[in-house]
Amino acid sequence: MEKQDRFFLKRMGELAAMADRQYCPIFTEFLTLYESSMILSTSERLASVSIHSWGGYKEAERRLICFSPIDYPLEESDFPISCIHIYPKNQKFSENLSHRDFLGAVLNLGIERNRTGDILIQEGDALLFCESEIADFIESNLERIKHTTVFCEQKSFIEISKEIFHPHVKIIKGFVSSLRLDTLIPVAFHVSRSSITGIIHAEKVFINGRLTTENSMIVKENDLISVRGMGKFRFIGIEKESKKGRFLIQIEKYC
């Protein structure tokens, strides 16, 4: 384990101990999939606390982790997360803004990346998840992205649950010899199986938010696989089996 990872886990252990000692929930900043996975894989070494995660919506990748006493009642609404709807003042003259454009504009306000969560984009608008503490600042100060003037409006989670941007997905089908991780990833991303081994061993693959380095890991129905630098997909299941014992699988790839 690298020094940086050891330092991170030490700090997480201190937060867990604080939650246990003070009998109150303690929240982290927004963590990456890799960071969240490290916590989950070493949870038995932390203080006697419950570990919860939430990023504002079910499929969120960047999440806050909460350490709380075992019997402490905790709801998703207790997480200090806000959501800001960012949209062009004039959609007709808006530029084609990407995830990088929205993120860059927020960071240019002097905000660190770990204080913001996922950014969902749909038809030129974006939903930005962030720490509640900085939501008012972003809403008041984010006025332009590239050359496009934008408005920012905080959304309640009741509103979000009704109108949240559902990620664009593409259904992909293909035949595989098994349900191993290293056979499904090539189908999802149209790459060779041989190239996947290095990606998995490089700790870039996560199943349901947990890091895996096993090529032979068997993927189950509805598992969410994330590959850093490539994207993510959900394994829907087997559609049929051929006479030669190969499986026609269905994958839901996030675009």
Side-chain angles (χ1 to χ4, degrees):
M1 182 180 295
E2 295 184 4
K3 182 178 179 180
Q4 182 178 346
D5 293 343
R6 291 196 299 270
F7 177 80
F8 171 79
L9 289 175
K10 179 182 178 181
R11 186 165 63 88
M12 293 300 104
E14 291 170 350
L15 293 181
M18 184 185 300
D20 185 42
R21 183 172 62 253
Q22 298 181 359
Y23 194 76
C24 67
I26 300 292
F27 298 92
T28 67
E29 65 274 15
F30 279 96
L31 304 180
T32 64
L33 274 174
Y34 178 65
E35 291 168 333
S36 294
S37 182
M38 278 198 292
I39 294 174
L40 295 175
S41 63
T42 59
S43 58
E44 69 281 354
R45 286 185 269 170
L46 299 175
S48 299
V49 294
S50 294
I51 300 176
H52 309 270
S53 72
W54 182 240
Y57 68 107
K58 183 179 178 181
E59 295 87 3
E61 287 198 8
R62 298 180 63 87
R63 292 169 172 258
L64 299 185
I65 292 285
C66 177
F67 302 109
S68 66
I70 297 295
D71 57 347
Y72 193 96
L74 189 73
E75 304 290 338
E76 290 172 351
S77 58
D78 294 325
F79 280 75
I81 297 176
S82 294
C83 182
I84 302 175
H85 182 199
I86 307 172
Y87 55 97
K89 180 179 180 180
N90 190 324
Q91 187 72 51
K92 181 178 180 180
F93 298 106
S94 171
E95 298 166 274
N96 184 20
L97 301 175
S98 66
H99 181 281
R100 178 177 293 183
D101 295 327
F102 283 99
L103 177 59
V106 172
L107 298 184
N108 283 339
L109 296 176
I111 294 171
E112 295 181 0
R113 182 64 175 107
N114 61 14
R115 305 200 69 183
T116 62
D118 286 1
I119 302 175
L120 302 181
I121 299 174
Q122 181 171 293
E123 297 178 357
D125 290 18
L127 289 180
L128 165 70
F129 295 88
C130 66
E131 292 180 359
S132 297
E133 191 178 61
I134 63 172
D136 288 344
F137 176 80
I138 295 175
E139 184 178 31
S140 300
N141 290 277
L142 184 59
E143 300 177 340
R144 184 177 296 274
I145 301 177
K146 296 180 71 175
H147 299 294
T148 300
T149 301
V150 297
F151 289 138
C152 295
E153 178 185 6
Q154 291 186 55
K155 291 283 190 178
S156 72
F157 281 92
I158 294 177
E159 293 176 289
I160 293 172
S161 64
K162 294 179 180 179
E163 58 184 63
I164 189 169
F165 298 167
H166 295 286
H168 293 293
V169 297
K170 177 182 179 182
I171 300 299
I172 297 175
K173 298 182 180 181
F175 279 99
V176 295
S177 58
S178 73
L179 300 183
R180 286 170 48 124
L181 182 63
D182 60 357
T183 62
L184 267 63
I185 294 178
V187 174
F189 299 110
H190 302 290
V191 295
S192 67
R193 184 172 177 179
S194 59
S195 68
I196 292 303
T197 300
I199 292 174
I200 296 175
H201 288 166
E203 301 184 339
K204 293 184 177 181
V205 180
F206 301 81
I207 300 180
N208 299 324
R210 287 181 177 266
L211 174 68
T212 180
T213 55
E214 297 181 29
N215 294 354
S216 59
M217 178 72 71
I218 299 299
V219 180
K220 302 179 180 63
E221 286 189 8
N222 292 316
D223 277 351
L224 181 66
I225 292 87
S226 299
V227 184
R228 286 198 329 215
M230 298 178 72
K232 62 182 178 180
F233 67 92
R234 188 178 300 279
F235 173 51
I236 302 302
I238 299 172
E239 192 166 297
K240 68 178 182 180
E241 184 176 355
S242 70
K243 294 180 179 180
K244 295 184 178 180
R246 292 173 62 81
F247 304 107
L248 177 62
I249 61 167
Q250 188 176 92
I251 285 172
E252 188 178 66
K253 181 182 176 183
Y254 292 76
C255 302

